[in-house]
Amino acid sequence: MFFFKQNYEQIQEIQHILEKCNLNIKDLSETLDLNEKDVNRAMSGSIKQKVLLDKIQNYLLDLLKTRESETRNELAKKSLAELHFLLDYAKENSDSKYDSITLNYVISNYYNLEYVSLRNNREGEENEI
């Protein structure tokens, strides 16, 4: 029973990440060069496909981290006023491109050296044009 519960929780997490990344099983199997039937078996909780389930989860977690980092860097280039506007919009509307957690993170770290350097690089590029 323990393995089934553990697989079920892992599958739920994978499904959540798939939704967040706007991917489906077919896209995932093509990206990872896997048989779609094997991916479906793994997603149905097959104990024999536990290794494949781990591989899928690790890939999706890496993809999610990369996308979140890109989003944070994109947001870090915006002004503080723009960030607050986007945060208010995200709180009021579910169709926002950005989630409020990411926006709050960027706002709270607005003066972080990494983000300041990203903004300075952007301003330097605009001055060259």
Side-chain angles (χ1 to χ4, degrees), residues 9-127:
E9 290 170 354
Q10 187 177 18
I11 290 167
Q12 281 186 317
E13 182 181 5
I14 289 171
Q15 288 173 338
H16 174 73
I17 296 171
L18 283 170
E19 288 174 18
K20 199 167 186 175
C21 294
N22 293 323
L23 291 173
N24 58 36
I25 300 293
K26 185 177 181 181
D27 295 336
L28 182 65
S29 59
E30 288 174 3
T31 303
L32 294 175
D33 197 28
L34 298 169
N35 183 342
E36 190 174 344
K37 288 182 182 179
D38 290 339
V39 174
N40 281 325
R41 279 189 207 111
M43 292 298 290
S44 68
S46 172
I47 299 294
K48 294 179 182 177
Q49 299 292 337
K50 177 72 173 127
V51 173
L52 180 57
L53 199 60
D54 291 340
K55 180 179 180 179
I56 292 168
Q57 183 179 27
N58 289 336
Y59 168 77
L60 288 173
L61 287 172
D62 288 343
L63 179 65
L64 188 62
K65 286 178 187 177
T66 302
R67 287 188 179 180
E68 286 178 351
S69 177
E70 290 170 354
T71 301
R72 286 181 183 149
N73 288 341
E74 176 186 328
L75 287 169
K77 296 176 182 177
K78 299 188 181 300
S79 72
L80 201 52
E82 287 177 290
L83 291 171
H84 282 289
F85 173 78
L86 289 170
L87 179 62
D88 291 340
Y89 183 82
K91 286 179 180 178
E92 295 172 7
N93 301 295
S94 61
D95 67 340
S96 174
K97 180 179 176 183
Y98 308 107
D99 62 292
S100 58
I101 295 171
T102 303
L103 286 162
N104 275 323
Y105 179 85
V106 173
I107 289 170
S108 65
N109 291 297
Y110 189 77
Y111 295 105
N112 180 317
L113 188 58
E114 176 186 355
Y115 291 161
V116 169
S117 115
L118 282 171
R119 281 192 299 279
N120 289 340
N121 287 341
R122 182 194 64 156
E123 291 169 3
E125 291 170 4
E126 288 176 354
N127 291 336

